């Protein structure tokens, strides 16, 4: 599989990475068969994926434990990325978080340590100092952020810390980063790690109407707030499903699964180093891996742009998919 540079770091990440959130179960994903989760991670490694993304917050560390178990005897073949929660960004909490993550991951270093959501502004300078100490000690190889908007990225970059990546939601149903943030990342030489490229199954064609989408996967601003969401907005359900139908039409014309096409589209976008895909079964992962072989023609890219542009315009420039208006967390 193609490998790409991650920002200015010395990491070279596979163009498709494994998102390990669903592998830890809980959080609305339901029960997970640990053997199957471990087999999925091994299948990824055996088929050229070297990048595995998890977080201390995924099912209270359970996802990190599964990743640790699966990679314990293959550590040198894998790049492990994990994340610290913004509520743990005081110096002491940050140090404890890293130690806890290392223990659960059964390793003495992480390849990429990311701040999961923007920290309280008053924590930034102190946290960056500690993060840089972690790099100097060898416990962390590279620093990254996640869900940071332009202003928050500026604040972190201006500390002078070498930030390699910003992990962001990016898919045919969530293109907000194209407005300002993508260009800002490029200006700073920061790579994009794209997450939820399949919108948790929506772009794999799993659901044929908004009502079929389970509540946990219907909390984004695409859906009406009555679906258990925190954003308080009306949503764009009709337009979302029109967009999915249009993408499906293009995939059918190409004779390609919609999931493959959707992943290949994100992989082809400017500034994207790797696209995370969550897959809970080896068979599902292997199907998704076909995206790594696809080269989309300019005609197909144009058709996908046109199909997803009305939703992009309706959703607006905010990159926080779960909270709206004044309560959004990314600026
Ligand atoms: N930084 C952040 O704030 C943030 C937020 C969200 C995610 N992430 C990262 O990004 C990764 C990916 O996001 P995600 O796992 O939430 O979403 P995703 O990759 O869009 O979707 C994963 C789910 O989609 C379904 N799926 C995958 N391939 C499929 C296929 N070919 N056909 C049918 N269904 C398919 C599976 O659901 P079933 O298991 O039900 O089959 C799978 O669990 C996460 O694992 C995590 O590492 C980061």
């Amino acid at each position: 599989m193609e490998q790409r540079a991650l920002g200015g770091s010395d990491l070279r990440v596979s163009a498709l990475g494994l998102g390990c959130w669903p592998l830890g179960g809980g959080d609305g994903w339901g029960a997970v068969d640990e053997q199957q989760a471990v087999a999925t991670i091994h299948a990824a490694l055996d088929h050229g994926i070297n990048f595995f993304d998890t977080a201390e917050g995924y099912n209270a560390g359970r996802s990190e434990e599964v990743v640790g178990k699966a990679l314990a005897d293959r550590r040198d073949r894998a790049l492990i990325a994990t994340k610290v929660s913004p509520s743990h960004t005081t110096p002491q909490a940050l140090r404890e978080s890293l130690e806890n993550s290392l223990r659960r991951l059964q390793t003495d270093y992480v390849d990429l340590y990311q701040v999961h959501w923007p920290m309280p502004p008053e924590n930034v300078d102190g946290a960056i100092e500690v993060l840089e100490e972690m790099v100097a000690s060898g416990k962390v190889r590279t620093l990254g952020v996640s869900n940071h908007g332009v202003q928050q990225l500026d604040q972190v970059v201006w500390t002078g810390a070498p930030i390699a990546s910003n992990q962001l939601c990016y898919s045919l149903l969530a293109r907000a980063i194209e407005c300002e943030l993508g260009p800002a990342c490029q200006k700073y030489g920061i790579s994009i790690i794209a997450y939820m490229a399949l919108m948790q199954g929506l772009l794999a064609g799993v659901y044929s109407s908004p009502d079929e989408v389970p509540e946990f996967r219907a909390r984004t601003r695409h859906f009406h707030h009555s679906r258990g969401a925190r954003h308080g907005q009306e949503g764009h359900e009709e337009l979302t499903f029109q967009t999915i139908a249009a993408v499906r039409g293009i995939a059918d014309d190409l004779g390609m699964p919609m999931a493959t096409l959707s992943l290949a589209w994100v992989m082809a976008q400017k500034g994207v180093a790797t696209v995370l895909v969550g897959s809970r079964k080896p068979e599902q992962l292997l199907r998704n891996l076909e995206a790594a072989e696809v080269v989309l023609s300019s005609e197909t890219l144009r058709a996908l742009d046109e199909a997803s542009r009305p939703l992009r315009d309706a959703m607006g420039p905010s990159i926080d998919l779960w909270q709206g208006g004044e309560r959004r967390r990314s600026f």
Side-chain angles (χ1 to χ4, degrees), residues 23-66:
L23 298 178
D27 293 340
W29 293 107
V32 158
D33 175 341
E34 188 182 281
Q35 259 186 335
Q36 200 167 55
V38 168
T40 306
I41 293 172
H42 290 170
L45 209 49
D46 292 343
H47 288 85
I49 288 185
N50 71 354
F51 189 71
F52 298 85
D53 179 75
T54 180
E56 64 171 0
Y58 293 164
N59 198 11
R62 184 70 195 121
S63 164
E64 287 186 331
E65 283 171 358
V66 172

Short mmCIF file of all heavy atoms in Angstrom, two decimals, residues 23-66:
data_model
loop_
_atom_site.label_atom_id
_atom_site.label_comp_id
_atom_site.label_asym_id
_atom_site.label_seq_id
_atom_site.Cartn_x
_atom_site.Cartn_y
_atom_site.Cartn_z
N LEU A 23 -13.47 -1.24 17.55
CA LEU A 23 -12.90 -2.50 18.03
C LEU A 23 -12.91 -2.62 19.55
O LEU A 23 -12.73 -3.70 20.09
CB LEU A 23 -11.46 -2.67 17.50
CG LEU A 23 -11.33 -2.74 15.98
CD1 LEU A 23 -9.88 -2.85 15.57
CD2 LEU A 23 -12.13 -3.92 15.44
N GLY A 24 -13.11 -1.48 20.23
CA GLY A 24 -13.18 -1.53 21.69
C GLY A 24 -14.60 -1.73 22.20
O GLY A 24 -14.83 -1.84 23.40
N GLY A 25 -15.58 -1.75 21.28
CA GLY A 25 -16.97 -1.92 21.69
C GLY A 25 -17.46 -0.75 22.55
O GLY A 25 -16.81 0.29 22.61
N GLY A 26 -18.60 -0.93 23.19
CA GLY A 26 -19.16 0.12 24.04
C GLY A 26 -19.45 1.39 23.24
O GLY A 26 -19.54 1.35 22.01
N ASP A 27 -19.59 2.53 23.92
CA ASP A 27 -19.80 3.83 23.27
C ASP A 27 -20.91 3.81 22.21
O ASP A 27 -20.90 4.63 21.30
CB ASP A 27 -18.52 4.33 22.57
CG ASP A 27 -17.40 4.69 23.54
OD1 ASP A 27 -17.68 4.93 24.71
OD2 ASP A 27 -16.24 4.72 23.09
N GLY A 28 -21.81 2.84 22.23
CA GLY A 28 -22.85 2.77 21.21
C GLY A 28 -22.51 1.76 20.11
O GLY A 28 -23.34 1.49 19.24
N TRP A 29 -21.31 1.21 20.12
CA TRP A 29 -20.94 0.21 19.11
C TRP A 29 -21.47 -1.17 19.48
O TRP A 29 -21.51 -2.07 18.65
CB TRP A 29 -19.42 0.13 18.94
CG TRP A 29 -18.79 1.36 18.36
CD1 TRP A 29 -18.03 2.28 19.04
CD2 TRP A 29 -18.86 1.82 17.00
NE1 TRP A 29 -17.64 3.28 18.20
CE2 TRP A 29 -18.12 3.02 16.93
CE3 TRP A 29 -19.46 1.34 15.85
CZ2 TRP A 29 -17.99 3.75 15.76
CZ3 TRP A 29 -19.33 2.06 14.68
CH2 TRP A 29 -18.60 3.25 14.64
N GLY A 30 -21.81 -1.34 20.75
CA GLY A 30 -22.29 -2.65 21.20
C GLY A 30 -21.13 -3.57 21.53
O GLY A 30 -19.97 -3.15 21.61
N ALA A 31 -21.46 -4.85 21.71
CA ALA A 31 -20.44 -5.83 22.12
C ALA A 31 -19.51 -6.13 20.95
O ALA A 31 -19.90 -6.07 19.80
CB ALA A 31 -21.13 -7.11 22.57
N VAL A 32 -18.27 -6.45 21.32
CA VAL A 32 -17.29 -6.79 20.29
C VAL A 32 -16.64 -8.11 20.65
O VAL A 32 -16.32 -8.36 21.81
CB VAL A 32 -16.22 -5.67 20.19
CG1 VAL A 32 -14.94 -6.18 19.58
CG2 VAL A 32 -16.74 -4.52 19.35
N ASP A 33 -16.48 -8.97 19.66
CA ASP A 33 -15.78 -10.23 19.87
C ASP A 33 -14.29 -9.93 19.82
O ASP A 33 -13.77 -9.55 18.77
CB ASP A 33 -16.23 -11.18 18.73
CG ASP A 33 -15.48 -12.49 18.75
OD1 ASP A 33 -14.40 -12.57 19.37
OD2 ASP A 33 -15.97 -13.45 18.12
N GLU A 34 -13.61 -10.09 20.96
CA GLU A 34 -12.20 -9.67 21.02
C GLU A 34 -11.32 -10.41 20.02
O GLU A 34 -10.45 -9.83 19.38
CB GLU A 34 -11.65 -9.86 22.43
CG GLU A 34 -10.27 -9.25 22.57
CD GLU A 34 -9.66 -9.44 23.93
OE1 GLU A 34 -10.04 -8.69 24.85
OE2 GLU A 34 -8.82 -10.35 24.08
N GLN A 35 -11.61 -11.72 19.85
CA GLN A 35 -10.80 -12.51 18.90
C GLN A 35 -10.92 -11.94 17.49
O GLN A 35 -9.94 -11.85 16.75
CB GLN A 35 -11.30 -13.93 18.89
CG GLN A 35 -10.44 -14.84 19.72
CD GLN A 35 -10.89 -16.29 19.58
OE1 GLN A 35 -12.05 -16.57 19.26
NE2 GLN A 35 -9.98 -17.19 19.81
N GLN A 36 -12.16 -11.55 17.16
CA GLN A 36 -12.40 -10.99 15.82
C GLN A 36 -11.72 -9.61 15.67
O GLN A 36 -11.18 -9.29 14.61
CB GLN A 36 -13.90 -10.85 15.61
CG GLN A 36 -14.27 -10.74 14.16
CD GLN A 36 -15.76 -10.92 13.97
OE1 GLN A 36 -16.55 -10.22 14.58
NE2 GLN A 36 -16.14 -11.85 13.14
N ALA A 37 -11.75 -8.86 16.76
CA ALA A 37 -11.11 -7.54 16.73
C ALA A 37 -9.60 -7.70 16.52
O ALA A 37 -9.00 -7.00 15.69
CB ALA A 37 -11.40 -6.79 18.04
N VAL A 38 -9.00 -8.65 17.25
CA VAL A 38 -7.56 -8.89 17.10
C VAL A 38 -7.26 -9.39 15.68
O VAL A 38 -6.32 -8.94 15.03
CB VAL A 38 -7.08 -9.90 18.18
CG1 VAL A 38 -5.67 -10.40 17.88
CG2 VAL A 38 -7.14 -9.26 19.57
N ALA A 39 -8.13 -10.26 15.18
CA ALA A 39 -7.92 -10.79 13.81
C ALA A 39 -8.01 -9.67 12.78
O ALA A 39 -7.29 -9.67 11.77
CB ALA A 39 -8.97 -11.87 13.50
N THR A 40 -8.88 -8.68 13.03
CA THR A 40 -9.02 -7.55 12.09
C THR A 40 -7.73 -6.73 12.07
O THR A 40 -7.25 -6.33 11.00
CB THR A 40 -10.23 -6.67 12.50
OG1 THR A 40 -11.39 -7.51 12.59
CG2 THR A 40 -10.47 -5.57 11.49
N ILE A 41 -7.17 -6.50 13.25
CA ILE A 41 -5.91 -5.72 13.32
C ILE A 41 -4.79 -6.50 12.62
O ILE A 41 -4.00 -5.93 11.84
CB ILE A 41 -5.56 -5.41 14.79
CG1 ILE A 41 -6.61 -4.43 15.36
CG2 ILE A 41 -4.15 -4.85 14.92
CD1 ILE A 41 -6.52 -4.15 16.84
N HIS A 42 -4.74 -7.81 12.83
CA HIS A 42 -3.69 -8.61 12.16
C HIS A 42 -3.89 -8.61 10.64
O HIS A 42 -2.91 -8.50 9.89
CB HIS A 42 -3.70 -10.05 12.70
CG HIS A 42 -3.21 -10.13 14.12
ND1 HIS A 42 -3.30 -11.26 14.89
CD2 HIS A 42 -2.63 -9.19 14.93
CE1 HIS A 42 -2.78 -11.02 16.09
NE2 HIS A 42 -2.38 -9.78 16.13
N ALA A 43 -5.14 -8.69 10.21
CA ALA A 43 -5.40 -8.68 8.76
C ALA A 43 -4.97 -7.34 8.16
O ALA A 43 -4.39 -7.29 7.06
CB ALA A 43 -6.89 -8.91 8.49
N ALA A 44 -5.21 -6.26 8.90
CA ALA A 44 -4.80 -4.93 8.41
C ALA A 44 -3.29 -4.89 8.21
O ALA A 44 -2.79 -4.49 7.14
CB ALA A 44 -5.24 -3.86 9.41
N LEU A 45 -2.58 -5.35 9.23
CA LEU A 45 -1.11 -5.33 9.17
C LEU A 45 -0.60 -6.20 8.02
O LEU A 45 0.31 -5.81 7.27
CB LEU A 45 -0.60 -5.88 10.51
CG LEU A 45 0.74 -5.43 11.05
CD1 LEU A 45 0.90 -3.92 11.01
CD2 LEU A 45 0.90 -5.94 12.48
N ASP A 46 -1.23 -7.34 7.84
CA ASP A 46 -0.79 -8.26 6.79
C ASP A 46 -1.10 -7.76 5.39
O ASP A 46 -0.56 -8.26 4.41
CB ASP A 46 -1.44 -9.64 6.98
CG ASP A 46 -0.90 -10.32 8.24
OD1 ASP A 46 0.16 -9.89 8.73
OD2 ASP A 46 -1.56 -11.25 8.74
N HIS A 47 -2.00 -6.76 5.29
CA HIS A 47 -2.36 -6.23 3.97
C HIS A 47 -1.87 -4.80 3.77
O HIS A 47 -2.44 -4.05 2.98
CB HIS A 47 -3.88 -6.33 3.74
CG HIS A 47 -4.33 -7.74 3.51
ND1 HIS A 47 -4.61 -8.60 4.55
CD2 HIS A 47 -4.50 -8.45 2.37
CE1 HIS A 47 -4.95 -9.78 4.06
NE2 HIS A 47 -4.89 -9.71 2.73
N GLY A 48 -0.85 -4.42 4.50
CA GLY A 48 -0.17 -3.15 4.18
C GLY A 48 -0.57 -1.95 5.02
O GLY A 48 -0.01 -0.87 4.85
N ILE A 49 -1.55 -2.12 5.92
CA ILE A 49 -1.88 -0.99 6.80
C ILE A 49 -0.86 -0.95 7.94
O ILE A 49 -0.62 -1.96 8.60
CB ILE A 49 -3.32 -1.13 7.37
CG1 ILE A 49 -4.33 -0.87 6.25
CG2 ILE A 49 -3.54 -0.20 8.55
CD1 ILE A 49 -5.78 -0.87 6.69
N ASN A 50 -0.23 0.21 8.13
CA ASN A 50 0.72 0.31 9.25
C ASN A 50 0.26 1.30 10.32
O ASN A 50 0.93 1.49 11.31
CB ASN A 50 2.13 0.69 8.75
CG ASN A 50 2.22 2.15 8.28
OD1 ASN A 50 1.22 2.85 8.21
ND2 ASN A 50 3.42 2.58 7.94
N PHE A 51 -0.91 1.94 10.10
CA PHE A 51 -1.33 3.03 10.98
C PHE A 51 -2.61 2.66 11.73
O PHE A 51 -3.64 2.37 11.10
CB PHE A 51 -1.53 4.30 10.13
CG PHE A 51 -1.75 5.54 10.95
CD1 PHE A 51 -0.71 6.12 11.67
CD2 PHE A 51 -3.01 6.13 11.00
CE1 PHE A 51 -0.92 7.27 12.43
CE2 PHE A 51 -3.22 7.28 11.75
CZ PHE A 51 -2.18 7.85 12.46
N PHE A 52 -2.55 2.70 13.05
CA PHE A 52 -3.66 2.27 13.89
C PHE A 52 -4.00 3.41 14.85
O PHE A 52 -3.15 3.86 15.62
CB PHE A 52 -3.26 1.01 14.68
CG PHE A 52 -2.97 -0.14 13.75
CD1 PHE A 52 -1.70 -0.28 13.18
CD2 PHE A 52 -3.96 -1.04 13.39
CE1 PHE A 52 -1.42 -1.31 12.28
CE2 PHE A 52 -3.70 -2.08 12.50
CZ PHE A 52 -2.43 -2.21 11.94
N ASP A 53 -5.26 3.85 14.79
CA ASP A 53 -5.67 5.01 15.58
C ASP A 53 -6.63 4.62 16.69
O ASP A 53 -7.62 3.92 16.45
CB ASP A 53 -6.36 6.04 14.66
CG ASP A 53 -6.82 7.25 15.44
OD1 ASP A 53 -5.95 8.07 15.79
OD2 ASP A 53 -8.03 7.38 15.72
N THR A 54 -6.31 5.08 17.90
CA THR A 54 -7.19 4.81 19.03
C THR A 54 -7.20 6.05 19.94
O THR A 54 -6.73 7.10 19.53
CB THR A 54 -6.74 3.51 19.77
OG1 THR A 54 -7.61 3.27 20.87
CG2 THR A 54 -5.31 3.57 20.25
N ALA A 55 -7.78 5.93 21.12
CA ALA A 55 -7.83 7.08 22.05
C ALA A 55 -8.10 6.57 23.45
O ALA A 55 -8.76 5.53 23.62
CB ALA A 55 -8.95 8.04 21.64
N GLU A 56 -7.60 7.33 24.44
CA GLU A 56 -7.89 6.92 25.82
C GLU A 56 -9.39 6.96 26.07
O GLU A 56 -9.92 6.23 26.89
CB GLU A 56 -7.16 7.82 26.83
CG GLU A 56 -7.59 9.28 26.81
CD GLU A 56 -7.02 10.11 27.98
OE1 GLU A 56 -6.28 9.57 28.82
OE2 GLU A 56 -7.33 11.32 28.03
N GLY A 57 -10.11 7.81 25.32
CA GLY A 57 -11.54 7.98 25.55
C GLY A 57 -12.41 6.93 24.90
O GLY A 57 -13.63 6.92 25.13
N TYR A 58 -11.86 6.06 24.07
CA TYR A 58 -12.71 5.07 23.38
C TYR A 58 -13.04 3.92 24.32
O TYR A 58 -12.18 3.11 24.65
CB TYR A 58 -12.02 4.55 22.11
CG TYR A 58 -11.87 5.60 21.01
CD1 TYR A 58 -11.00 5.40 19.94
CD2 TYR A 58 -12.61 6.79 21.03
CE1 TYR A 58 -10.85 6.36 18.94
CE2 TYR A 58 -12.48 7.74 20.04
CZ TYR A 58 -11.59 7.53 19.00
OH TYR A 58 -11.46 8.48 18.01
N ASN A 59 -14.31 3.90 24.70
CA ASN A 59 -14.80 2.91 25.67
C ASN A 59 -13.86 2.82 26.88
O ASN A 59 -13.45 1.73 27.28
CB ASN A 59 -14.98 1.53 25.01
CG ASN A 59 -15.89 0.63 25.85
OD1 ASN A 59 -16.55 1.09 26.80
ND2 ASN A 59 -15.93 -0.64 25.52
N ALA A 60 -13.56 4.00 27.43
CA ALA A 60 -12.75 4.11 28.65
C ALA A 60 -11.45 3.30 28.57
O ALA A 60 -11.06 2.63 29.53
CB ALA A 60 -13.59 3.68 29.87
N GLY A 61 -10.78 3.34 27.44
CA GLY A 61 -9.47 2.68 27.32
C GLY A 61 -9.53 1.29 26.73
O GLY A 61 -8.51 0.67 26.41
N ARG A 62 -10.72 0.74 26.55
CA ARG A 62 -10.85 -0.65 26.07
C ARG A 62 -10.29 -0.79 24.63
O ARG A 62 -9.68 -1.81 24.29
CB ARG A 62 -12.34 -1.02 26.12
CG ARG A 62 -12.66 -2.42 25.75
CD ARG A 62 -12.17 -3.43 26.80
NE ARG A 62 -12.19 -4.76 26.21
CZ ARG A 62 -11.14 -5.55 26.09
NH1 ARG A 62 -9.95 -5.19 26.54
NH2 ARG A 62 -11.26 -6.74 25.52
N SER A 63 -10.50 0.23 23.81
CA SER A 63 -9.97 0.17 22.44
C SER A 63 -8.44 0.10 22.49
O SER A 63 -7.82 -0.69 21.76
CB SER A 63 -10.44 1.39 21.64
OG SER A 63 -9.70 1.55 20.47
N GLU A 64 -7.82 0.90 23.35
CA GLU A 64 -6.35 0.85 23.48
C GLU A 64 -5.91 -0.55 23.92
O GLU A 64 -4.90 -1.07 23.44
CB GLU A 64 -5.87 1.88 24.50
CG GLU A 64 -5.96 3.32 24.01
CD GLU A 64 -5.34 4.32 25.00
OE1 GLU A 64 -5.35 4.05 26.21
OE2 GLU A 64 -4.88 5.37 24.56
N GLU A 65 -6.67 -1.16 24.83
CA GLU A 65 -6.28 -2.49 25.32
C GLU A 65 -6.29 -3.52 24.19
O GLU A 65 -5.40 -4.36 24.09
CB GLU A 65 -7.24 -2.94 26.44
CG GLU A 65 -6.93 -2.26 27.75
CD GLU A 65 -8.01 -2.54 28.82
OE1 GLU A 65 -9.00 -3.23 28.53
OE2 GLU A 65 -7.84 -2.01 29.93
N VAL A 66 -7.31 -3.44 23.34
CA VAL A 66 -7.40 -4.40 22.23
C VAL A 66 -6.24 -4.18 21.24
O VAL A 66 -5.60 -5.13 20.79
CB VAL A 66 -8.77 -4.27 21.51
CG1 VAL A 66 -8.82 -5.10 20.25
CG2 VAL A 66 -9.90 -4.68 22.45
#
